[in-house]
Amino acid sequence: QFTLVSPQRMLPSIRLFSLGGGTMDLASLRGEPILLNFWATWCPACRIELPMLDRLSEHARKMRLNVLAVSEDRGGRDQVSRFVQSLGIRNLPVYLDPHGYVGHTDPDRTKAPFALYGMPITYLIASSGRIVGYMPGAADWTEPAAGVLVEYLRNA
């Protein structure tokens, strides 16, 4: 499922809007690998994957890994907040992209840096800041193969 991006490009400076309020520049995380997950409340597979990402996020700090989830919902903060609460998400940092500035489905209409080939989709960003690949669809982030992938990102 993992698809390498070629040519690899550097992670641009992107401001993410936190579900809890405030912003964060994604480029400020350079130096540590990032799993950047795009999802939506209407996506059945996201309902399965988000709790796994939440569990991974709980242990991610020990692994020097940043796990972030970006909602592509257009319905607003309250809709996303209710959905996240209904899943019992407690550790996973959740961000909002209601205008499609971060993820896009049509590159001709936006300059968003991440193509959304389906929902969910997770981009993997190496410690060097290079966007190395993506995984479309729900992935089981509790599998040993996920640990191998994180180690690859740490060294890429």
Side-chain angles (χ1 to χ4, degrees):
Q1 265 188 335
F2 181 68
T3 303
L4 288 171
V5 172
S6 183
Q8 292 180 357
R9 62 191 196 288
M10 290 302 286
L11 179 66
S13 179
I14 302 168
R15 188 169 51 180
L16 295 176
F17 296 91
S18 174
L19 180 61
T23 64
M24 189 258 303
D25 186 340
L26 193 55
S28 70
L29 300 177
R30 277 196 191 136
E32 294 183 0
I34 303 169
L35 281 151
L36 184 63
N37 177 265
F38 292 90
W39 63 280
T41 58
W42 49 261
C43 163
C46 299
R47 189 175 280 282
I48 295 166
E49 186 178 43
L50 284 172
M52 283 188 267
L53 286 168
D54 187 55
R55 286 192 297 278
L56 177 62
S57 183
E58 184 177 6
H59 305 290
R61 287 172 191 80
K62 297 175 200 165
M63 300 185 305
R64 293 188 56 227
L65 171 69
N66 293 287
V67 181
L68 310 173
V70 179
S71 168
E72 289 297 314
D73 283 281
R74 306 296 186 246
R77 184 179 307 268
D78 290 339
Q79 175 187 1
V80 173
S81 183
R82 283 190 306 273
F83 183 80
V84 167
Q85 287 175 3
S86 76
L87 294 178
I89 304 299
R90 297 193 189 335
N91 303 296
L92 181 63
V94 176
Y95 296 89
L96 306 169
D97 185 28
H99 304 294
Y101 296 142
V102 182
H104 70 80
T105 56
D106 183 356
D108 295 330
R109 290 185 29 200
T110 180
K111 294 184 193 271
F114 295 96
L116 304 178
Y117 300 114
M119 285 289 169
I121 186 168
T122 303
Y123 275 86
L124 301 135
I125 302 157
S127 298
S128 64
R130 289 190 321 259
I131 302 167
V132 297
Y134 61 90
M135 292 183 66
D140 186 349
W141 296 104
T142 63
E143 288 288 319
V148 172
L149 190 56
V150 168
E151 193 57 37
Y152 168 77
L153 290 175
R154 208 178 273 127
N155 297 319

mmCIF file with all atom_site columns, all heavy atoms in Angstrom, residues 73-94:
data_model
loop_
_atom_site.group_PDB
_atom_site.id
_atom_site.type_symbol
_atom_site.label_atom_id
_atom_site.label_alt_id
_atom_site.label_comp_id
_atom_site.label_asym_id
_atom_site.label_entity_id
_atom_site.label_seq_id
_atom_site.pdbx_PDB_ins_code
_atom_site.Cartn_x
_atom_site.Cartn_y
_atom_site.Cartn_z
_atom_site.occupancy
_atom_site.B_iso_or_equiv
_atom_site.pdbx_formal_charge
_atom_site.auth_seq_id
_atom_site.auth_comp_id
_atom_site.auth_asym_id
_atom_site.auth_atom_id
_atom_site.pdbx_PDB_model_num
ATOM 1   N N   . ASP A 1 73 ? -13.220 18.074 6.740  1.00 0.00 ? 73 ASP A N   1
ATOM 2   C CA  . ASP A 1 73 ? -14.640 18.412 6.808  1.00 0.00 ? 73 ASP A CA  1
ATOM 3   C C   . ASP A 1 73 ? -14.864 19.894 6.572  1.00 0.00 ? 73 ASP A C   1
ATOM 4   O O   . ASP A 1 73 ? -14.068 20.727 6.990  1.00 0.00 ? 73 ASP A O   1
ATOM 5   C CB  . ASP A 1 73 ? -15.196 18.040 8.192  1.00 0.00 ? 73 ASP A CB  1
ATOM 6   C CG  . ASP A 1 73 ? -15.419 16.559 8.300  1.00 0.00 ? 73 ASP A CG  1
ATOM 7   O OD1 . ASP A 1 73 ? -16.442 16.094 7.783  1.00 0.00 ? 73 ASP A OD1 1
ATOM 8   O OD2 . ASP A 1 73 ? -14.561 15.873 8.886  1.00 0.00 ? 73 ASP A OD2 1
ATOM 9   N N   . ARG A 1 74 ? -15.972 20.198 5.924  1.00 0.00 ? 74 ARG A N   1
ATOM 10  C CA  . ARG A 1 74 ? -16.368 21.588 5.674  1.00 0.00 ? 74 ARG A CA  1
ATOM 11  C C   . ARG A 1 74 ? -17.455 22.038 6.649  1.00 0.00 ? 74 ARG A C   1
ATOM 12  O O   . ARG A 1 74 ? -17.870 23.181 6.618  1.00 0.00 ? 74 ARG A O   1
ATOM 13  C CB  . ARG A 1 74 ? -16.872 21.746 4.235  1.00 0.00 ? 74 ARG A CB  1
ATOM 14  C CG  . ARG A 1 74 ? -15.927 21.263 3.153  1.00 0.00 ? 74 ARG A CG  1
ATOM 15  C CD  . ARG A 1 74 ? -14.649 22.064 3.116  1.00 0.00 ? 74 ARG A CD  1
ATOM 16  N NE  . ARG A 1 74 ? -13.815 21.682 1.980  1.00 0.00 ? 74 ARG A NE  1
ATOM 17  C CZ  . ARG A 1 74 ? -12.638 21.099 2.091  1.00 0.00 ? 74 ARG A CZ  1
ATOM 18  N NH1 . ARG A 1 74 ? -12.149 20.807 3.273  1.00 0.00 ? 74 ARG A NH1 1
ATOM 19  N NH2 . ARG A 1 74 ? -11.918 20.816 1.029  1.00 0.00 ? 74 ARG A NH2 1
ATOM 20  N N   . GLY A 1 75 ? -17.912 21.136 7.517  1.00 0.00 ? 75 GLY A N   1
ATOM 21  C CA  . GLY A 1 75 ? -19.029 21.409 8.412  1.00 0.00 ? 75 GLY A CA  1
ATOM 22  C C   . GLY A 1 75 ? -18.711 22.227 9.648  1.00 0.00 ? 75 GLY A C   1
ATOM 23  O O   . GLY A 1 75 ? -19.612 22.626 10.366 1.00 0.00 ? 75 GLY A O   1
ATOM 24  N N   . GLY A 1 76 ? -17.455 22.441 9.948  1.00 0.00 ? 76 GLY A N   1
ATOM 25  C CA  . GLY A 1 76 ? -17.109 23.275 11.082 1.00 0.00 ? 76 GLY A CA  1
ATOM 26  C C   . GLY A 1 76 ? -16.535 22.523 12.269 1.00 0.00 ? 76 GLY A C   1
ATOM 27  O O   . GLY A 1 76 ? -16.593 21.303 12.361 1.00 0.00 ? 76 GLY A O   1
ATOM 28  N N   . ARG A 1 77 ? -15.987 23.296 13.172 1.00 0.00 ? 77 ARG A N   1
ATOM 29  C CA  . ARG A 1 77 ? -15.291 22.800 14.361 1.00 0.00 ? 77 ARG A CA  1
ATOM 30  C C   . ARG A 1 77 ? -16.180 21.925 15.242 1.00 0.00 ? 77 ARG A C   1
ATOM 31  O O   . ARG A 1 77 ? -15.749 20.891 15.732 1.00 0.00 ? 77 ARG A O   1
ATOM 32  C CB  . ARG A 1 77 ? -14.761 23.991 15.152 1.00 0.00 ? 77 ARG A CB  1
ATOM 33  C CG  . ARG A 1 77 ? -13.926 23.656 16.355 1.00 0.00 ? 77 ARG A CG  1
ATOM 34  C CD  . ARG A 1 77 ? -13.430 24.909 17.052 1.00 0.00 ? 77 ARG A CD  1
ATOM 35  N NE  . ARG A 1 77 ? -12.741 25.816 16.170 1.00 0.00 ? 77 ARG A NE  1
ATOM 36  C CZ  . ARG A 1 77 ? -11.421 25.812 15.952 1.00 0.00 ? 77 ARG A CZ  1
ATOM 37  N NH1 . ARG A 1 77 ? -10.672 24.943 16.579 1.00 0.00 ? 77 ARG A NH1 1
ATOM 38  N NH2 . ARG A 1 77 ? -10.867 26.679 15.143 1.00 0.00 ? 77 ARG A NH2 1
ATOM 39  N N   . ASP A 1 78 ? -17.438 22.323 15.445 1.00 0.00 ? 78 ASP A N   1
ATOM 40  C CA  . ASP A 1 78 ? -18.327 21.564 16.330 1.00 0.00 ? 78 ASP A CA  1
ATOM 41  C C   . ASP A 1 78 ? -18.586 20.159 15.798 1.00 0.00 ? 78 ASP A C   1
ATOM 42  O O   . ASP A 1 78 ? -18.588 19.189 16.561 1.00 0.00 ? 78 ASP A O   1
ATOM 43  C CB  . ASP A 1 78 ? -19.653 22.300 16.534 1.00 0.00 ? 78 ASP A CB  1
ATOM 44  C CG  . ASP A 1 78 ? -19.500 23.557 17.371 1.00 0.00 ? 78 ASP A CG  1
ATOM 45  O OD1 . ASP A 1 78 ? -18.496 23.664 18.113 1.00 0.00 ? 78 ASP A OD1 1
ATOM 46  O OD2 . ASP A 1 78 ? -20.374 24.429 17.289 1.00 0.00 ? 78 ASP A OD2 1
ATOM 47  N N   . GLN A 1 79 ? -18.814 20.042 14.509 1.00 0.00 ? 79 GLN A N   1
ATOM 48  C CA  . GLN A 1 79 ? -19.054 18.725 13.899 1.00 0.00 ? 79 GLN A CA  1
ATOM 49  C C   . GLN A 1 79 ? -17.848 17.816 14.103 1.00 0.00 ? 79 GLN A C   1
ATOM 50  O O   . GLN A 1 79 ? -17.991 16.658 14.493 1.00 0.00 ? 79 GLN A O   1
ATOM 51  C CB  . GLN A 1 79 ? -19.341 18.886 12.411 1.00 0.00 ? 79 GLN A CB  1
ATOM 52  C CG  . GLN A 1 79 ? -19.489 17.569 11.674 1.00 0.00 ? 79 GLN A CG  1
ATOM 53  C CD  . GLN A 1 79 ? -19.607 17.769 10.166 1.00 0.00 ? 79 GLN A CD  1
ATOM 54  O OE1 . GLN A 1 79 ? -19.563 18.873 9.644  1.00 0.00 ? 79 GLN A OE1 1
ATOM 55  N NE2 . GLN A 1 79 ? -19.756 16.668 9.459  1.00 0.00 ? 79 GLN A NE2 1
ATOM 56  N N   . VAL A 1 80 ? -16.661 18.319 13.856 1.00 0.00 ? 80 VAL A N   1
ATOM 57  C CA  . VAL A 1 80 ? -15.436 17.533 14.005 1.00 0.00 ? 80 VAL A CA  1
ATOM 58  C C   . VAL A 1 80 ? -15.218 17.177 15.471 1.00 0.00 ? 80 VAL A C   1
ATOM 59  O O   . VAL A 1 80 ? -14.885 16.041 15.802 1.00 0.00 ? 80 VAL A O   1
ATOM 60  C CB  . VAL A 1 80 ? -14.219 18.292 13.423 1.00 0.00 ? 80 VAL A CB  1
ATOM 61  C CG1 . VAL A 1 80 ? -12.926 17.557 13.715 1.00 0.00 ? 80 VAL A CG1 1
ATOM 62  C CG2 . VAL A 1 80 ? -14.408 18.503 11.918 1.00 0.00 ? 80 VAL A CG2 1
ATOM 63  N N   . SER A 1 81 ? -15.434 18.133 16.347 1.00 0.00 ? 81 SER A N   1
ATOM 64  C CA  . SER A 1 81 ? -15.251 17.900 17.779 1.00 0.00 ? 81 SER A CA  1
ATOM 65  C C   . SER A 1 81 ? -16.172 16.795 18.293 1.00 0.00 ? 81 SER A C   1
ATOM 66  O O   . SER A 1 81 ? -15.737 15.902 19.034 1.00 0.00 ? 81 SER A O   1
ATOM 67  C CB  . SER A 1 81 ? -15.489 19.202 18.544 1.00 0.00 ? 81 SER A CB  1
ATOM 68  O OG  . SER A 1 81 ? -15.252 19.012 19.911 1.00 0.00 ? 81 SER A OG  1
ATOM 69  N N   . ARG A 1 82 ? -17.441 16.836 17.911 1.00 0.00 ? 82 ARG A N   1
ATOM 70  C CA  . ARG A 1 82 ? -18.378 15.793 18.330 1.00 0.00 ? 82 ARG A CA  1
ATOM 71  C C   . ARG A 1 82 ? -17.947 14.413 17.822 1.00 0.00 ? 82 ARG A C   1
ATOM 72  O O   . ARG A 1 82 ? -18.010 13.425 18.547 1.00 0.00 ? 82 ARG A O   1
ATOM 73  C CB  . ARG A 1 82 ? -19.797 16.108 17.836 1.00 0.00 ? 82 ARG A CB  1
ATOM 74  C CG  . ARG A 1 82 ? -20.513 17.163 18.644 1.00 0.00 ? 82 ARG A CG  1
ATOM 75  C CD  . ARG A 1 82 ? -21.978 17.262 18.285 1.00 0.00 ? 82 ARG A CD  1
ATOM 76  N NE  . ARG A 1 82 ? -22.225 17.476 16.867 1.00 0.00 ? 82 ARG A NE  1
ATOM 77  C CZ  . ARG A 1 82 ? -22.265 18.661 16.263 1.00 0.00 ? 82 ARG A CZ  1
ATOM 78  N NH1 . ARG A 1 82 ? -22.106 19.753 16.966 1.00 0.00 ? 82 ARG A NH1 1
ATOM 79  N NH2 . ARG A 1 82 ? -22.511 18.751 14.972 1.00 0.00 ? 82 ARG A NH2 1
ATOM 80  N N   . PHE A 1 83 ? -17.490 14.349 16.589 1.00 0.00 ? 83 PHE A N   1
ATOM 81  C CA  . PHE A 1 83 ? -17.045 13.088 16.000 1.00 0.00 ? 83 PHE A CA  1
ATOM 82  C C   . PHE A 1 83 ? -15.838 12.540 16.755 1.00 0.00 ? 83 PHE A C   1
ATOM 83  O O   . PHE A 1 83 ? -15.792 11.359 17.113 1.00 0.00 ? 83 PHE A O   1
ATOM 84  C CB  . PHE A 1 83 ? -16.711 13.299 14.522 1.00 0.00 ? 83 PHE A CB  1
ATOM 85  C CG  . PHE A 1 83 ? -16.307 12.051 13.805 1.00 0.00 ? 83 PHE A CG  1
ATOM 86  C CD1 . PHE A 1 83 ? -17.259 11.148 13.360 1.00 0.00 ? 83 PHE A CD1 1
ATOM 87  C CD2 . PHE A 1 83 ? -14.971 11.768 13.567 1.00 0.00 ? 83 PHE A CD2 1
ATOM 88  C CE1 . PHE A 1 83 ? -16.892 9.992  12.683 1.00 0.00 ? 83 PHE A CE1 1
ATOM 89  C CE2 . PHE A 1 83 ? -14.594 10.623 12.900 1.00 0.00 ? 83 PHE A CE2 1
ATOM 90  C CZ  . PHE A 1 83 ? -15.559 9.728  12.459 1.00 0.00 ? 83 PHE A CZ  1
ATOM 91  N N   . VAL A 1 84 ? -14.858 13.380 17.008 1.00 0.00 ? 84 VAL A N   1
ATOM 92  C CA  . VAL A 1 84 ? -13.644 12.972 17.724 1.00 0.00 ? 84 VAL A CA  1
ATOM 93  C C   . VAL A 1 84 ? -13.999 12.485 19.128 1.00 0.00 ? 84 VAL A C   1
ATOM 94  O O   . VAL A 1 84 ? -13.496 11.452 19.586 1.00 0.00 ? 84 VAL A O   1
ATOM 95  C CB  . VAL A 1 84 ? -12.625 14.143 17.754 1.00 0.00 ? 84 VAL A CB  1
ATOM 96  C CG1 . VAL A 1 84 ? -11.503 13.885 18.742 1.00 0.00 ? 84 VAL A CG1 1
ATOM 97  C CG2 . VAL A 1 84 ? -12.066 14.396 16.360 1.00 0.00 ? 84 VAL A CG2 1
ATOM 98  N N   . GLN A 1 85 ? -14.881 13.185 19.806 1.00 0.00 ? 85 GLN A N   1
ATOM 99  C CA  . GLN A 1 85 ? -15.315 12.772 21.143 1.00 0.00 ? 85 GLN A CA  1
ATOM 100 C C   . GLN A 1 85 ? -16.051 11.440 21.099 1.00 0.00 ? 85 GLN A C   1
ATOM 101 O O   . GLN A 1 85 ? -15.870 10.596 21.975 1.00 0.00 ? 85 GLN A O   1
ATOM 102 C CB  . GLN A 1 85 ? -16.188 13.843 21.777 1.00 0.00 ? 85 GLN A CB  1
ATOM 103 C CG  . GLN A 1 85 ? -15.410 15.060 22.207 1.00 0.00 ? 85 GLN A CG  1
ATOM 104 C CD  . GLN A 1 85 ? -16.320 16.161 22.733 1.00 0.00 ? 85 GLN A CD  1
ATOM 105 O OE1 . GLN A 1 85 ? -17.529 16.013 22.824 1.00 0.00 ? 85 GLN A OE1 1
ATOM 106 N NE2 . GLN A 1 85 ? -15.709 17.293 23.081 1.00 0.00 ? 85 GLN A NE2 1
ATOM 107 N N   . SER A 1 86 ? -16.870 11.225 20.080 1.00 0.00 ? 86 SER A N   1
ATOM 108 C CA  . SER A 1 86 ? -17.631 9.972  19.973 1.00 0.00 ? 86 SER A CA  1
ATOM 109 C C   . SER A 1 86 ? -16.709 8.763  19.803 1.00 0.00 ? 86 SER A C   1
ATOM 110 O O   . SER A 1 86 ? -17.074 7.655  20.181 1.00 0.00 ? 86 SER A O   1
ATOM 111 C CB  . SER A 1 86 ? -18.633 10.039 18.822 1.00 0.00 ? 86 SER A CB  1
ATOM 112 O OG  . SER A 1 86 ? -17.990 9.881  17.569 1.00 0.00 ? 86 SER A OG  1
ATOM 113 N N   . LEU A 1 87 ? -15.516 8.989  19.247 1.00 0.00 ? 87 LEU A N   1
ATOM 114 C CA  . LEU A 1 87 ? -14.543 7.904  19.064 1.00 0.00 ? 87 LEU A CA  1
ATOM 115 C C   . LEU A 1 87 ? -13.625 7.742  20.272 1.00 0.00 ? 87 LEU A C   1
ATOM 116 O O   . LEU A 1 87 ? -12.812 6.819  20.310 1.00 0.00 ? 87 LEU A O   1
ATOM 117 C CB  . LEU A 1 87 ? -13.699 8.145  17.817 1.00 0.00 ? 87 LEU A CB  1
ATOM 118 C CG  . LEU A 1 87 ? -14.431 8.090  16.474 1.00 0.00 ? 87 LEU A CG  1
ATOM 119 C CD1 . LEU A 1 87 ? -13.462 8.402  15.339 1.00 0.00 ? 87 LEU A CD1 1
ATOM 120 C CD2 . LEU A 1 87 ? -15.088 6.732  16.264 1.00 0.00 ? 87 LEU A CD2 1
ATOM 121 N N   . GLY A 1 88 ? -13.714 8.642  21.236 1.00 0.00 ? 88 GLY A N   1
ATOM 122 C CA  . GLY A 1 88 ? -12.866 8.563  22.420 1.00 0.00 ? 88 GLY A CA  1
ATOM 123 C C   . GLY A 1 88 ? -11.421 8.952  22.148 1.00 0.00 ? 88 GLY A C   1
ATOM 124 O O   . GLY A 1 88 ? -10.514 8.500  22.845 1.00 0.00 ? 88 GLY A O   1
ATOM 125 N N   . ILE A 1 89 ? -11.195 9.802  21.162 1.00 0.00 ? 89 ILE A N   1
ATOM 126 C CA  . ILE A 1 89 ? -9.840  10.252 20.814 1.00 0.00 ? 89 ILE A CA  1
ATOM 127 C C   . ILE A 1 89 ? -9.348  11.201 21.906 1.00 0.00 ? 89 ILE A C   1
ATOM 128 O O   . ILE A 1 89 ? -9.986  12.204 22.202 1.00 0.00 ? 89 ILE A O   1
ATOM 129 C CB  . ILE A 1 89 ? -9.830  10.953 19.441 1.00 0.00 ? 89 ILE A CB  1
ATOM 130 C CG1 . ILE A 1 89 ? -10.395 10.048 18.346 1.00 0.00 ? 89 ILE A CG1 1
ATOM 131 C CG2 . ILE A 1 89 ? -8.437  11.462 19.096 1.00 0.00 ? 89 ILE A CG2 1
ATOM 132 C CD1 . ILE A 1 89 ? -9.647  8.766  18.114 1.00 0.00 ? 89 ILE A CD1 1
ATOM 133 N N   . ARG A 1 90 ? -8.206  10.860 22.514 1.00 0.00 ? 90 ARG A N   1
ATOM 134 C CA  . ARG A 1 90 ? -7.677  11.666 23.609 1.00 0.00 ? 90 ARG A CA  1
ATOM 135 C C   . ARG A 1 90 ? -6.238  12.139 23.389 1.00 0.00 ? 90 ARG A C   1
ATOM 136 O O   . ARG A 1 90 ? -5.829  13.146 23.935 1.00 0.00 ? 90 ARG A O   1
ATOM 137 C CB  . ARG A 1 90 ? -7.711  10.870 24.907 1.00 0.00 ? 90 ARG A CB  1
ATOM 138 C CG  . ARG A 1 90 ? -9.100  10.489 25.354 1.00 0.00 ? 90 ARG A CG  1
ATOM 139 C CD  . ARG A 1 90 ? -9.120  9.990  26.758 1.00 0.00 ? 90 ARG A CD  1
ATOM 140 N NE  . ARG A 1 90 ? -10.301 9.402  27.312 1.00 0.00 ? 90 ARG A NE  1
ATOM 141 C CZ  . ARG A 1 90 ? -11.554 9.566  26.989 1.00 0.00 ? 90 ARG A CZ  1
ATOM 142 N NH1 . ARG A 1 90 ? -11.868 10.329 26.016 1.00 0.00 ? 90 ARG A NH1 1
ATOM 143 N NH2 . ARG A 1 90 ? -12.541 8.972  27.619 1.00 0.00 ? 90 ARG A NH2 1
ATOM 144 N N   . ASN A 1 91 ? -5.444  11.388 22.633 1.00 0.00 ? 91 ASN A N   1
ATOM 145 C CA  . ASN A 1 91 ? -4.023  11.694 22.493 1.00 0.00 ? 91 ASN A CA  1
ATOM 146 C C   . ASN A 1 91 ? -3.643  12.279 21.140 1.00 0.00 ? 91 ASN A C   1
ATOM 147 O O   . ASN A 1 91 ? -2.614  12.924 21.009 1.00 0.00 ? 91 ASN A O   1
ATOM 148 C CB  . ASN A 1 91 ? -3.198  10.412 22.695 1.00 0.00 ? 91 ASN A CB  1
ATOM 149 C CG  . ASN A 1 91 ? -3.480  9.782  24.035 1.00 0.00 ? 91 ASN A CG  1
ATOM 150 O OD1 . ASN A 1 91 ? -3.203  10.371 25.067 1.00 0.00 ? 91 ASN A OD1 1
ATOM 151 N ND2 . ASN A 1 91 ? -4.060  8.593  24.025 1.00 0.00 ? 91 ASN A ND2 1
ATOM 152 N N   . LEU A 1 92 ? -4.439  12.022 20.140 1.00 0.00 ? 92 LEU A N   1
ATOM 153 C CA  . LEU A 1 92 ? -4.135  12.401 18.766 1.00 0.00 ? 92 LEU A CA  1
ATOM 154 C C   . LEU A 1 92 ? -4.405  13.888 18.531 1.00 0.00 ? 92 LEU A C   1
ATOM 155 O O   . LEU A 1 92 ? -5.546  14.337 18.685 1.00 0.00 ? 92 LEU A O   1
ATOM 156 C CB  . LEU A 1 92 ? -4.990  11.559 17.811 1.00 0.00 ? 92 LEU A CB  1
ATOM 157 C CG  . LEU A 1 92 ? -4.806  11.773 16.319 1.00 0.00 ? 92 LEU A CG  1
ATOM 158 C CD1 . LEU A 1 92 ? -3.393  11.393 15.890 1.00 0.00 ? 92 LEU A CD1 1
ATOM 159 C CD2 . LEU A 1 92 ? -5.839  10.954 15.548 1.00 0.00 ? 92 LEU A CD2 1
ATOM 160 N N   . PRO A 1 93 ? -3.372  14.659 18.161 1.00 0.00 ? 93 PRO A N   1
ATOM 161 C CA  . PRO A 1 93 ? -3.614  16.061 17.826 1.00 0.00 ? 93 PRO A CA  1
ATOM 162 C C   . PRO A 1 93 ? -4.449  16.153 16.544 1.00 0.00 ? 93 PRO A C   1
ATOM 163 O O   . PRO A 1 93 ? -4.098  15.560 15.530 1.00 0.00 ? 93 PRO A O   1
ATOM 164 C CB  . PRO A 1 93 ? -2.216  16.639 17.600 1.00 0.00 ? 93 PRO A CB  1
ATOM 165 C CG  . PRO A 1 93 ? -1.279  15.669 18.239 1.00 0.00 ? 93 PRO A CG  1
ATOM 166 C CD  . PRO A 1 93 ? -1.946  14.334 18.140 1.00 0.00 ? 93 PRO A CD  1
ATOM 167 N N   . VAL A 1 94 ? -5.559  16.878 16.619 1.00 0.00 ? 94 VAL A N   1
ATOM 168 C CA  . VAL A 1 94 ? -6.476  17.010 15.490 1.00 0.00 ? 94 VAL A CA  1
ATOM 169 C C   . VAL A 1 94 ? -6.461  18.454 14.998 1.00 0.00 ? 94 VAL A C   1
ATOM 170 O O   . VAL A 1 94 ? -6.560  19.393 15.794 1.00 0.00 ? 94 VAL A O   1
ATOM 171 C CB  . VAL A 1 94 ? -7.908  16.583 15.888 1.00 0.00 ? 94 VAL A CB  1
ATOM 172 C CG1 . VAL A 1 94 ? -8.882  16.823 14.741 1.00 0.00 ? 94 VAL A CG1 1
ATOM 173 C CG2 . VAL A 1 94 ? -7.920  15.120 16.320 1.00 0.00 ? 94 VAL A CG2 1
#
